[in-house]
């Protein structure tokens, strides 16, 4: 039934459609109001957009996603040389599909149950409904044989729905967040449906090898598929495999950043001057420490503040000599756990500043804002030590941006071993954020590191990022997606 419905749209042959389509929860644009009150669209900041926009601009592609205003239906439009196909979401979808199933069920479940996931059938029903809407919008605009690349945990049912409607498509899926082990994943009442939804893709990409193997272990345990190497093979029915039962391959493709663009911005005289100004405004401390996160419980902000507070209390770090700048950008503000976290973080910052501030200097400069990329690069340049202390993180592009911005090899990165980035930035100081003493030693080690040692480490990490940037990430994924399955892999 569903397949028929979708096919009806797809067979409308008025126009050939797009050859390459990205499908993501959000379109890569934000609506902005100019001084004259005129509304326009501006490219949004953030990992996913930074990652895919260059590829979209090079190919004649389209991006299917929500445009950000609940209840509003918009016609397709173009921005910054990308065709945008808006999918409407109303208030109820936001509450049930986005805040509910995506961000209060899947997000905590996939991040090591740092907070308990909630399971509600009404959320699941709406998640199915919205995924179907995204699949229909895509099936309608895809050219025959097009490549479709579906992004992230909000849309895990789209690959199967699309395949049923359009068996001619080449379908990829990339999961930007971790994929849990079978023990944790098994809690999900709809685990089989989610796995089958994903398996509709020809290639499912993950940040880490560990995520890909978790996925394959879940496939083996909770679906009828046979897992052979990196392949999840459907059971052969009496009539042979139906068109909608494809072989799915799981692979690790760690995402990266536009390394050259970051380095170029770091050389921009205006941005360099702004970095100097930031340090000056902080009272020219000897050391600036920096944390930049969405205000999310996965980021380990409280653990970081605890370690820093203890270093101040122990007299290892002195206010005036050092300052911690913590940018915590607003995120998912209607979700209760995020509201609680904001209160907890703000209480901790208030306590620590009350305890340690002087008339002249502050211990922590806390900024609950989002900033444009240019200001972020200035902040990275102004900082000596970057603290990334996530309890679990799919990748963490902030860590990569900090390293790429320090083209003079100054600075040092303290990085949680529970980030995807830890697999690649192996010259950083790796820490376990649950181990407060270990984190304190890591921060002190970064503070006291011999500059030739830190320069060597930064140089090696920058070289890695030059060789593995976002263009090489998408190129590798799409090359793999284009590649037919080796027949002998099935024997
Ligand atoms: C993570 C997810 C993205 C998401 C982003 C911001 O990076 O992997 O899919 O877009 O967080 O979260 P938001 O809920 O604001 O889209």
């Amino acid at each position: 039934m569903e397949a028929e419905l979708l096919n009806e749209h797809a067979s409308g042959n008025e126009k050939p459609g797009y050859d390459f389509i990205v499908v993501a929860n959000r379109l890569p644009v934000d609506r902005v109001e100019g001084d004259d009150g005129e509304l326009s669209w501006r490219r949004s900041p953030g990992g996913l957009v930074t990652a895919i926009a260059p590829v979209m601009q090079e190919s004649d592609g389209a991006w299917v996603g929500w445009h950000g205003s609940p209840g509003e239906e918009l016609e397709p439009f173009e921005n910054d040389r990308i065709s945008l196909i808006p999918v409407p979401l109303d208030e109820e979808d936001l509450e049930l599909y986005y805040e509910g199933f995506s961000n209060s069920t899947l997000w905590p479940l996939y991040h090591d149950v740092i907070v308990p996931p909630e399971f509600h059938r009404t959320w699941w029903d709406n998640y199915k409904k919205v995924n179907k809407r995204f699949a229909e919008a895509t099936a309608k605009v895809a050219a025959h044989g097009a490549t479709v690349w579906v992004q992230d945990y909000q849309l895990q049912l789209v690959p199967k729905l699309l395949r049923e409607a359009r068996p001619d498509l080449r379908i990829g899926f990339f999961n930007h967040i971790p994929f849990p082990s079978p023990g944790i994943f098994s809690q999900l009442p709809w685990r089989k449906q989610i796995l089958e939804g994903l398996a509709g893709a020809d290639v499912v990409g993950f940040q880490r090898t560990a995520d890909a193997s978790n996925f394959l272990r879940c496939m083996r345990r909770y679906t009828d598929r046979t897992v052979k190497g990196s392949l999840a093979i459907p059971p052969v029915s009496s009539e042979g495999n139906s068109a909608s039962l494809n072989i799915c391959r799981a692979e690790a493709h760690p995402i990266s950043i536009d390394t050259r663009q970051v380095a170029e911005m770091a050389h921009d005289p205006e941005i360099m001057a702004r970095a100097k100004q930031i340090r000056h405004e902080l009272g020219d401390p000897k050391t600036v420490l920096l944390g930049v996160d969405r205000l999310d419980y996965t980021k380990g902000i409280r653990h970081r503040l605890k370690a820093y507070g203890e270093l101040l209390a122990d007299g290892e770090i002195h206010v005036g000599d050092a300052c911690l700048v913590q940018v915590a950008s607003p995120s998912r503000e209607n979700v209760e756990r995020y509201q609680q976290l904001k209160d907890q973080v703000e209480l901790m910052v208030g306590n620590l500043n009350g305890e340690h501030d002087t008339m002249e200097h502050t211990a922590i400069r806390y900024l609950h804002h989002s900033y444009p990329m240019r200001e972020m690069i200035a902040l990275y340049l102004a900082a000596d030590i970057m603290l990334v202390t996530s309890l679990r993180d799919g990748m963490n592009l902030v860590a990569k941006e900090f390293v790429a911005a320090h083209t003079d090899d100054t600075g040092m990165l303290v990085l949680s071993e529970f980030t995807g980035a830890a697999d690649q930035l192996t010259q950083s100081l790796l820490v376990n954020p649950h181990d407060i003493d270990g984190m304190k030693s890591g921060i002190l080690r970064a503070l006291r590191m011999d500059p030739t040692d830190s320069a060597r480490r930064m140089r090696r990490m920058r070289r890695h990022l030059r060789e593995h940037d976002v263009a090489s990430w998408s190129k590798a994924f799409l090359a793999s997606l284009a590649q037919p399955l080796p027949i002998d892999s099935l024997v």
Side-chain angles (χ1 to χ4, degrees):
M1 274 288 275
E2 283 177 9
E4 273 167 33
L5 187 69
L6 286 163
N7 261 327
E8 211 175 282
H9 290 294
S11 60
N13 277 339
E14 324 84 49
K15 56 175 184 160
Y18 296 98
D19 288 324
F20 177 58
I21 302 176
V22 168
V23 192
N25 176 50
R26 285 176 196 260
L27 287 177
V29 287
D30 295 314
R31 203 155 3 196
V32 287
E33 194 179 330
D35 296 339
D36 49 4
E38 186 113 334
L39 291 175
S40 61
W41 297 97
R42 190 181 54 199
R43 165 97 72 84
S44 31
L48 178 60
V49 190
T50 321
I52 298 176
V55 195
M56 295 293 300
Q57 287 169 333
E58 276 163 31
S59 54
D60 177 27
W63 187 307
V64 174
W66 181 50
H67 54 280
S69 308
E72 187 189 34
E73 304 222 3
L74 285 182
E75 288 303 312
F77 61 102
E78 188 157 320
N79 179 269
D80 214 358
R81 291 183 289 136
I82 303 180
S83 298
L84 303 170
I85 320 280
V87 176
L89 293 181
D90 62 20
E91 295 285 357
E92 193 186 48
D93 300 328
L94 287 184
E95 193 189 323
L96 306 177
Y97 147 81
Y98 172 72
E99 286 153 11
F101 199 76
S102 296
N103 289 319
S104 304
T105 305
L106 295 171
W107 181 267
L109 185 76
Y110 283 30
H111 286 88
D112 285 358
V113 293
I114 295 166
V115 308
E118 288 181 50
F119 304 112
H120 298 295
R121 284 162 288 183
T122 47
W123 292 0
W124 164 246
D125 287 343
N126 193 260
Y127 182 83
K128 282 193 289 185
K129 191 167 124 191
V130 170
N131 270 247
K132 189 160 167 255
R133 198 179 304 152
F134 274 81
E136 282 180 351
T138 309
K140 216 167 152 181
V141 297
H144 185 83
T147 295
V148 178
W149 194 1
V150 184
Q151 309 289 326
D152 231 354
Y153 62 103
Q154 303 93 344
L155 301 176
Q156 291 175 97
L157 303 178
V158 171
K160 179 166 187 262
L161 290 167
L162 254 187
R163 179 162 306 277
E164 284 167 356
R166 296 285 308 270
D168 59 297
L169 301 177
R170 196 87 192 140
I171 304 169
F173 181 93
F174 188 77
N175 196 51
H176 291 253
I177 68 173
F179 199 87
S181 64
I184 288 180
F185 189 73
S186 61
Q187 289 182 20
L188 185 66
W190 309 281
R191 60 198 184 194
K192 189 160 188 241
Q193 291 95 314
I194 290 284
L195 290 169
E196 281 169 351
L198 287 169
D202 295 288
V203 176
V204 181
F206 296 93
Q207 303 283 24
R208 303 174 310 155
T209 319
D211 298 315
S213 71
N214 281 346
F215 169 74
L216 289 166
R217 282 158 64 212
C218 290
M219 289 297 294
R220 177 178 285 138
R221 209 177 283 185
Y222 301 118
T223 71
D224 302 333
R225 290 189 175 230
T226 309
V227 172
K228 215 170 162 233
S230 60
L231 304 178
I233 306 164
V236 184
S237 65
S238 49
E239 318 91 71
N241 283 342
S242 82
S244 62
L245 277 179
N246 61 303
I247 291 168
C248 159
R249 189 167 60 217
E251 290 174 349
H253 286 278
I255 200 169
S256 193
I257 55 167
D258 189 342
T259 312
R260 198 166 66 184
Q261 188 200 32
V262 171
E264 273 169 17
M265 283 171 119
H267 283 279
D268 181 324
E270 246 181 50
I271 293 179
M272 289 165 82
R274 174 68 188 139
K276 278 218 174 74
Q277 188 190 15
I278 290 172
R279 275 192 92 101
H280 185 64
E281 286 172 358
L282 292 169
D284 284 318
K286 274 206 276 275
T287 311
V288 175
L289 300 102
L290 176 65
V292 174
D293 312 86
R294 271 185 315 100
L295 189 41
D296 193 298
Y297 49 79
T298 58
K299 302 293 183 183
I301 301 173
R302 290 186 302 140
H303 299 64
R304 182 185 316 162
L305 291 176
K306 188 163 174 63
Y308 182 68
E310 286 191 15
L311 287 171
L312 288 170
D314 298 346
E316 297 277 13
I317 288 183
H318 300 279
V319 169
D321 278 354
C323 178
L324 169 62
V325 178
Q326 176 63 57
V327 176
S329 52
S331 187
R332 306 174 190 166
E333 289 175 289
N334 291 326
V335 178
E336 202 185 330
R337 288 283 175 177
Y338 288 74
Q339 293 163 358
Q340 285 168 359
L341 177 75
K342 178 167 181 283
D343 291 346
Q344 290 164 342
V345 165
E346 291 180 357
L347 186 66
M348 280 184 89
V349 171
N351 282 339
L352 287 170
N353 279 346
E355 188 81 18
H356 298 286
D357 277 7
T358 63
M359 283 296 174
E360 259 184 303
H361 296 110
T362 187
I364 305 165
R365 178 59 50 84
Y366 169 75
L367 303 149
H368 184 232
H369 301 295
S370 314
Y371 293 97
M373 193 60 183
R374 291 175 67 82
E375 182 71 355
M376 290 315 307
I377 303 288
L379 259 173
Y380 295 142
L381 290 179
D384 303 291
I385 299 175
M386 181 86 213
L387 304 178
V388 176
T389 59
S390 315
L391 305 176
R392 179 53 80 198
D393 214 328
M395 177 49 63
N396 199 291
L397 295 177
V398 161
K400 293 191 171 180
E401 285 170 358
F402 172 79
V403 171
H406 279 254
T407 53
D408 59 358
D409 298 327
T410 58
M412 195 60 225
L413 171 66
V414 175
L415 179 63
S416 162
E417 58 191 73
F418 302 120
T419 59
D423 283 5
Q424 293 117 55
L425 303 180
T426 50
Q427 302 294 313
S428 61
L429 292 179
L430 292 177
V431 293
N432 168 4
H434 297 285
D435 172 9
I436 302 295
D437 286 337
M439 200 153 46
K440 285 163 70 181
S441 318
I443 296 172
L444 288 179
R445 208 173 144 209
L447 266 166
R448 293 168 187 164
M449 190 175 273
D450 172 36
T452 48
D453 186 10
S454 57
R456 188 180 48 83
R457 290 163 177 265
M458 291 293 278
R459 197 160 44 241
R460 283 172 69 172
M461 291 193 285
R462 262 196 321 114
R463 193 190 314 137
H464 171 90
L465 294 175
R466 278 200 304 275
E467 287 161 7
H468 299 89
D469 65 357
V470 68
S472 66
W473 166 75
S474 51
K475 213 169 136 197
F477 183 93
L478 293 170
S480 172
L481 184 56
Q483 198 185 300
L485 277 177
I487 295 297
D488 54 5
S489 67
L490 304 177
V491 184

